[in-house]
Amino acid sequence: MKPKKVGILTAGGLAPCLSSAIGGLIERYTEIDPSIEILCYINGYKGLLLGDSIKVDAKMRQQAHLLHLYGGSPIGNSRVKLTNVKDCVKRGLVKEGQDPQKVAADQLVKDGVDVLHTIGGDDTNTAAADLAKFLKENNYELTVIGLPKTIDNDVYPIRQSLGAWTAAEEGAKFFKNVVGECGANPRMLIIHEVMGRNCGWLTAATAAKYREMLNRGEYADGLGLTKARRDVHAVFIPEMEIDIAKEAKRLKEVMDKNDCVNIFISEGAGVKTIVAEMEAKGEEVPRDAFGHVKLDAVNPGKWFGKQFAEMIGAEKVMVQKSGYFARAAAANADDLRLIKSCTDLAVECAMKREGGVIGHDENNGNILRACEFERIKGGKPFDTTQAWFVDLLKQIGQA
């Protein structure tokens, strides 16, 4: 039975697909059956709990194509875990004694929503999975359909998360300018910190994309404009064991030769070591509602800079983070094609009232389908044995 009204929300951190995914869903519903009403919840699950939403009218439908030109989320995001009752009460999203999942379910019923589209990463979609389970167990006639957003590209069993390709490309553009700082000071150490809590895919892909750009350039070696000075000299990701002493010895030789060193690191690289150091000193480790370490407070880039600076004889250390530049970008051509295919299928599944998370299922021949919610989880590690990554490490002398 086709839905009479659908709801859309985005949640978690930003990614270069949210705006386009919202636009894609609105466009497809309008193409197939404009009689189906569309409701957008403001600021993710927070808006759902508070009943804060906007109805998509005819003019908004006509303007939906404009959302493909922008990044961010026009309807707003928030980080809310529906099963974390204490946090929801503390933030004033529900009252003491209320179950956030029931509050959310009842709000959907009150709004007349038949299908809820959640656009987010592993936290958002595990929250959607919890909600879908609650709805089923409590006989609510509602369907939840997720779209996989995360620039980390680390959701099981989804082959490629929406927005990740764009984030890698934008991170490469970011560093193309930052690397010019290699001549700002003798013996310069530049650390490019890339988003990626548990998975190094984005850091690796950003480094590879940047080196593609680098290889297309022309250089004037005699004037100091060399490819070697602008290259990536090391890539550190959570999946790799880092022998700091060994790497320092190699990178000191790079520094002596080029008068600079450029390192790409994942924001999650070395976090276990940093947290252990903080706890040993009796320092509190700040965490979010999902229990994740707040990486901006831990500051892995600064930690790596401190570790390497003295050992490689750096006179100046600069840490630059491309995350907010990359994650708020508009989707590139590759992601737009992926988003289009996923939003079209999401609407098709809505018409059949088939729930799940839309993506290419790695355990089912990489077929684009609605993957069952119980199979969705985050923390999928990057496969460091992939040929392109092995070649990257060899080319920069790290392998």
Side-chain angles (χ1 to χ4, degrees), residues 25-74:
L25 288 171
I26 294 172
E27 287 177 317
R28 191 57 176 160
Y29 274 114
T30 302
E31 289 170 355
I32 289 180
D33 190 344
S35 71
I36 297 173
E37 294 182 59
I38 304 173
L39 206 64
C40 291
Y41 288 99
I42 304 301
N43 296 322
Y45 288 112
K46 178 181 179 180
L48 175 56
L49 290 172
L50 298 178
D52 188 6
S53 63
I54 57 172
K55 180 181 178 181
V56 178
D57 60 22
K59 183 177 180 180
M60 295 175 191
R61 289 174 187 261
Q62 291 173 359
Q63 295 175 327
H65 67 282
L66 297 175
L67 299 188
H68 297 300
L69 306 177
Y70 292 88
S73 174

Side-chain angles (χ1 to χ4, degrees), residues 79-206:
R79 291 185 182 276
V80 176
K81 188 174 179 65
L82 296 179
T83 54
N84 190 338
V85 180
K86 184 178 179 181
D87 182 66
C88 288
V89 171
K90 179 182 177 182
R91 295 165 65 177
L93 303 180
V94 299
K95 297 177 181 178
E96 191 75 47
Q98 287 185 313
D99 179 351
Q101 289 187 310
K102 189 175 189 310
V103 172
D106 288 344
Q107 185 62 52
L108 290 167
V109 171
K110 180 181 178 181
D111 292 334
V113 170
D114 304 303
V115 173
L116 176 65
H117 290 282
T118 60
I119 311 170
D122 58 300
D123 288 334
T124 300
N125 284 307
T126 52
D130 291 336
L131 180 58
K133 182 180 179 183
F134 179 88
L135 295 170
K136 183 178 180 180
E137 291 177 347
N138 291 276
N139 300 314
Y140 286 85
E141 294 295 325
L142 290 161
T143 303
V144 183
I145 301 172
L147 287 169
K149 171 260 359 163
T150 172
I151 60 177
D152 295 357
N153 197 29
D154 66 342
V155 178
Y156 288 104
I158 307 297
R159 183 184 67 183
Q160 186 68 32
S161 299
L162 309 184
W165 282 325
T166 304
E169 183 177 274
E170 293 296 322
K173 291 178 183 176
F174 176 90
F175 193 72
K176 184 179 180 181
N177 282 2
V178 169
V179 76
E181 295 288 333
C182 67
N185 199 86
R187 299 189 71 83
M188 188 78 174
L189 171 59
I190 301 177
I191 295 178
H192 179 194
E193 184 177 321
V194 182
M195 285 185 168
R197 179 182 296 277
N198 300 307
C199 177
W201 181 90
L202 182 58
T203 302
T206 302

Side-chain angles (χ1 to χ4, degrees), residues 182 185-188 229 254-261:
C182 67
N185 199 86
R187 299 189 71 83
M188 188 78 174
R229 297 193 72 200
V254 175
M255 179 68 86
D256 292 343
K257 182 178 179 180
N258 297 310
D259 206 35
C260 66
V261 165

